[in-house]
């Protein structure tokens, strides 16, 4: 097999959590319940913002984009994960693997950029309240959202395409529960220096500049809030940021931890990916629903109108 140069296999084997077989059935139950709640939670936020005029603001427009991202990554990863956890076969088709590699990298990069844009939106709302609606008008919001999606797509097309073109020499077993670019690079039997360098450089705008943008935005927000004369005003200003800040910490926190202290084992890396693929899409709508008074009030109005 060493002399064979096979660029891509018709099927791939996903080892997943097979080193802990006793864990697969409990994980199946957890993932299934999480998947159902994720679909319901994110879909309801999108539908609620469409039917409730009070939620048709820049902040909820970006929240809709976040919900779409969560739905995309869940629908791309979780059904295959459920099939592999439940049945004896741990395989994925070539097209399924390609779809996962492109889509996960796309959504991951886009979410990093989107969280930075959402931080910028909160900065404008709190630090520039009189000019907020003039600056964050619908056309600007559309352009910002399109920029996040297109930048993530461009990086995904570059990184995933480079990874898929690597020679694999018959290797088609992935020590993971889904196909992602770094895992595909590890399957290569040739020199991957250029791929790893491209991956690192491509991550700079999303994994480095985006968190820095969020940090700078919240630094200015904190300074502006502390200057407010009343405690009520400070609480109201901070409450508008609490949900987004919780999502930012939940998303960038584990990523920074992994960067500072890389996982010691493949199992640890899998559970970190499990967090991003299953837990994060589940928690995002819950955080915005439970911590946001506007969303809860909108739910009450919609439910009361149904009852009446």
């Amino acid at each position: 097999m060493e002399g064979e140069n096979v660029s891509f296999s018709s099927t791939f084997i996903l080892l997943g959590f097979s080193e802990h077989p006793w864990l697969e059935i409990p994980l199946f139950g957890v993932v299934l319940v999480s998947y159902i709640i994720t679909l319901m939670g994110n879909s309801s936020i999108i539908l609620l913002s469409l039917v409730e005029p009070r939620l048709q603001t820049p902040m909820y427009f970006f929240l809709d984009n976040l919900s779409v991202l969560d739905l995309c990554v869940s629908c791309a990863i979780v059904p295959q994960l459920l099939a592999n956890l439940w049945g004896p076969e741990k395989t994925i088709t070539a097209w399924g693997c390609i779809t996962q590699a492109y889509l996960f990298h796309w959504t991951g990069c886009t979410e990093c950029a989107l969280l930075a844009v959402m931080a910028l939106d909160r900065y404008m709302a709190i630090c520039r309240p009189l000019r907020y609606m003039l600056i964050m008008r619908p056309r600007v919001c559309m352009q910002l959202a399109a920029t996040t999606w297109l930048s993530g797509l461009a990086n995904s097309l570059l990184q995933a395409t480079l990874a898929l073109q690597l020679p694999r020499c018959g290797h088609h077993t992935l020590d993971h529960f889904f196909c992602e670019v770094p895992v595909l690079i590890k399957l290569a039997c040739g020199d991957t220096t250029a791929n790893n360098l491209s991956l690192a450089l491509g991550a700079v705008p999303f994994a480095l500049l985006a968190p820095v943008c969020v940090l700078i935005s919240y630094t200015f927000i904190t300074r502006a809030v502390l200057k407010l004369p009343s405690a009520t005003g400070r609480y109201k200003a901070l409450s508008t940021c609490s949900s987004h800040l919780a999502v930012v910490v939940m998303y960038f926190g584990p990523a920074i931890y992994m960067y500072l202290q890389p996982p010691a084992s493949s199992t640890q890396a899998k559970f970190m990916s499990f967090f991003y693929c299953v837990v994060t899409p589940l928690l995002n709508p819950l955080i915005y629903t439970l911590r946001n008074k506007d969303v809860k009030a909108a739910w009450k109005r919609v439910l009361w109108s149904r009852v009446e």
Side-chain angles (χ1 to χ4, degrees), residues 126-305:
I126 294 174
C127 301
R128 300 288 186 271
L130 299 179
R131 302 184 61 191
Y132 175 64
M133 293 309 298
L134 177 63
I135 297 174
M136 301 300 292
R137 54 190 183 275
R139 182 178 179 181
V140 173
C141 292
M142 290 287 292
Q143 291 173 343
L144 288 172
T147 300
T148 63
W149 283 90
L150 292 175
S151 62
L153 176 61
N155 193 40
S156 173
L157 290 173
L158 173 64
Q159 307 301 341
T161 301
L162 290 176
L164 294 173
Q165 289 180 343
L166 288 169
R168 316 209 176 269
C169 302
H171 303 156
H172 59 279
T173 301
L174 287 80
D175 189 14
H176 215 297
F177 61 87
F178 72 101
C179 295
E180 65 171 337
V181 173
V183 179
L184 290 173
I185 291 176
K186 290 181 181 179
L187 286 185
C189 57
D191 184 16
T192 60
T193 303
N195 295 80
N196 291 324
L197 180 60
S198 175
L199 198 63
L201 292 176
V204 169
F206 306 99
L208 181 61
L209 295 183
V212 169
C213 180
V214 171
L215 182 61
I216 293 173
S217 297
Y218 275 101
T219 299
F220 284 108
I221 289 172
T222 304
R223 290 176 57 185
V225 169
L226 292 176
K227 292 180 180 179
L228 294 176
S230 65
T232 304
R234 289 194 293 270
Y235 174 78
K236 185 178 180 180
L238 289 175
S239 65
T240 63
C241 301
S242 59
S243 298
H244 175 253
L245 193 57
V247 172
V248 166
V249 173
M250 182 179 65
Y251 192 82
F252 286 119
I256 294 173
Y257 172 79
M258 285 183 65
Y259 177 78
L260 296 177
Q261 185 178 348
S265 63
S266 61
T267 302
Q268 188 178 353
K270 290 175 193 175
F271 277 106
M272 195 64 71
S273 298
F274 182 87
F275 179 84
Y276 282 111
C277 296
V278 178
V279 180
T280 299
L282 167 68
L283 292 180
N284 282 350
L286 293 179
I287 289 173
Y288 277 99
T289 300
L290 298 177
R291 296 179 60 88
N292 194 295
K293 294 181 180 179
D294 293 336
V295 175
K296 289 189 286 187
W299 268 119
K300 290 179 182 178
R301 287 192 294 270
V302 171
L303 293 176
W304 274 113
S305 65

Side-chain angles (χ1 to χ4, degrees), residues 33 39-40 54 58 65 73 78 83 92 140 146 150 157 193-194 202 303:
V33 173
L39 294 180
M40 293 175 60
R54 299 184 188 182
N65 280 265
V73 70
V78 176
I92 182 173
V140 173
L150 292 175
L157 290 173
T193 303
L303 293 176

